[in-house]
Amino acid sequence: DAGVIQSPRHEVTEMGQEVTLRCKPISGHDYLFWYRQTMMRGLELLIYFNNNVPIDDSGMPEDRFSAKMPNASFSTLKIQPSEPRDSAVYFCASSFAQGVVGYTFGSGTRLTVV
Amino acid sequence: GENVEQHPSTLSVQEGDSAVIKCTYSDSASNYFPWYKQELGKRPQLIIDIRSNVGEKKDQRIAVTLNKTAKHFSLHITETQPEDSAVYFCAGGGSTLGRLYFGRGTQLTVWP
């Protein structure tokens, strides 16, 4: 298995632009998580899905952030409009069970908003 | 919800020495405790985990211990090497908790 695949690896965008991050979980994994990592806040859980259904989005910072999972093999995290404070590394992770096995993380997307 | 606290936030040791990172958790429903290693610019990777029916687990130079009564668990790295330098995250979870809860991380630096 190729693991959790994220794209793009790096994204530089101007403030106000729309940004879309993509994730392909490991086949057979029913849970998908989006995390944001910064020096100040560490690893923050933004949202997670089970069987393509959003379960907990309480970590989504504001309405500018949205996430979808149209099928079991694809998810997107969208920021519209982007702001400089959104600059961070965004990780996608997947798991085949909830809370009783570890997550497998993707390589992350480093987002820079200028 | 669960609250996982991790200490210290930074740790520096000389090559060959041991390193210990400690975590506490608040919810007695937690029964699964993984540890992740994140090298600079890389993804967090699972290095070892322990379940609540086990008190200790070893894998070569790393070991984890769990004290359910005190609600704390620790990562022990012996004979540290420069390549052990990374950020280490602990986490707690369980089937009733809905997800894993991560600590804030410990930056371990091993000096040659």
Side-chain angles (χ1 to χ4, degrees), chain A residues 84-101:
Chain A
R85 61 193 167 117
D86 302 330
S87 298
V89 179
Y90 291 81
F91 286 103
C92 175
S94 71
S95 171
F96 64 84
Q98 184 55 292
V100 293
V101 295

Side-chain angles (χ1 to χ4, degrees), chain A residues 20-38:
Chain A
T20 299
L21 311 182
R22 297 173 176 80
C23 176
K24 176 179 168 57
I26 291 173
S27 178
H29 282 193
D30 296 332
Y31 292 87
L32 183 139
F33 308 85
W34 281 101
Y35 282 87
R36 178 171 68 176
Q37 185 175 36
T38 61

Side-chain angles (χ1 to χ4, degrees), chain A residues 37 40 98 100 102-103 107, chain B residues 36 38 43 51 98 100 104:
Chain A
Q37 185 175 36
M40 292 295 294
Q98 184 55 292
V100 293
Y103 302 164
S107 297
Chain B
Y36 286 81
Q38 186 179 26
R43 76 188 79 187
R51 300 183 189 279
L100 292 178
R104 289 296 304 272

Side-chain angles (χ1 to χ4, degrees), chain B:
Chain B
E2 172 67 285
N3 181 39
V4 176
E5 295 192 351
Q6 183 172 348
H7 301 280
S9 57
T10 61
L11 179 61
S12 291
V13 300
Q14 201 74 35
E15 181 177 2
D17 288 349
S18 295
V20 180
I21 302 171
K22 299 181 179 181
C23 291
T24 61
Y25 62 99
S26 60
D27 197 324
S28 57
S30 288
N31 54 22
Y32 174 67
F33 306 94
W35 286 87
Y36 286 81
K37 176 183 180 181
Q38 186 179 26
E39 296 176 355
L40 187 62
K42 302 276 184 70
R43 76 188 79 187
Q45 290 195 293
L46 180 68
I47 56 171
I48 195 168
D49 56 15
I50 190 168
R51 300 183 189 279
S52 60
N53 58 345
V54 175
E56 183 175 4
K57 184 176 179 180
K58 290 183 180 180
D59 183 2
Q60 298 183 339
R61 295 187 298 107
I62 61 174
V64 290
T65 58
L66 171 65
N67 183 326
K68 288 189 294 182
T69 302
K71 293 195 181 72
H72 66 72
F73 55 111
S74 301
L75 177 71
H76 304 252
I77 306 174
T78 58
E79 300 173 21
T80 54
Q81 302 168 3
E83 50 265 40
D84 295 329
S85 296
V87 177
Y88 291 80
F89 292 95
C90 64
S95 56
T96 62
L97 295 184
R99 63 177 179 94
L100 292 178
Y101 291 80
F102 284 85
R104 289 296 304 272
T106 296
Q107 173 68 62
L108 172 65
T109 302
V110 180
W111 299 100

Side-chain angles (χ1 to χ4, degrees), chain A residues 3-112:
Chain A
V4 177
I5 300 173
Q6 289 187 247
S7 64
R9 289 296 308 274
H10 302 275
E11 177 80 36
V12 180
T13 190
E14 291 186 347
M15 182 174 62
Q17 296 298 305
E18 177 179 295
V19 176
T20 299
L21 311 182
R22 297 173 176 80
C23 176
K24 176 179 168 57
I26 291 173
S27 178
H29 282 193
D30 296 332
Y31 292 87
L32 183 139
F33 308 85
W34 281 101
Y35 282 87
R36 178 171 68 176
Q37 185 175 36
T38 61
M39 290 292 292
M40 292 295 294
R41 294 200 173 106
L43 271 174
E44 296 177 272
L45 177 66
L46 301 178
I47 185 171
Y48 77 92
F49 297 83
N50 176 216
N51 291 324
N52 314 335
V53 176
I55 302 301
D56 184 354
D57 66 354
S58 59
M60 296 286 261
E62 43 197 280
D63 292 345
R64 298 184 297 106
F65 286 69
S66 62
K68 294 182 180 179
M69 192 165 186
N71 57 63
S73 58
F74 183 65
S75 177
T76 59
L77 177 68
K78 186 176 294 186
I79 309 173
Q80 165 64 20
S82 58
E83 296 182 3
R85 61 193 167 117
D86 302 330
S87 298
V89 179
Y90 291 81
F91 286 103
C92 175
S94 71
S95 171
F96 64 84
Q98 184 55 292
V100 293
V101 295
Y103 302 164
T104 300
F105 284 83
S107 297
T109 294
R110 180 173 295 278
L111 173 65
T112 303

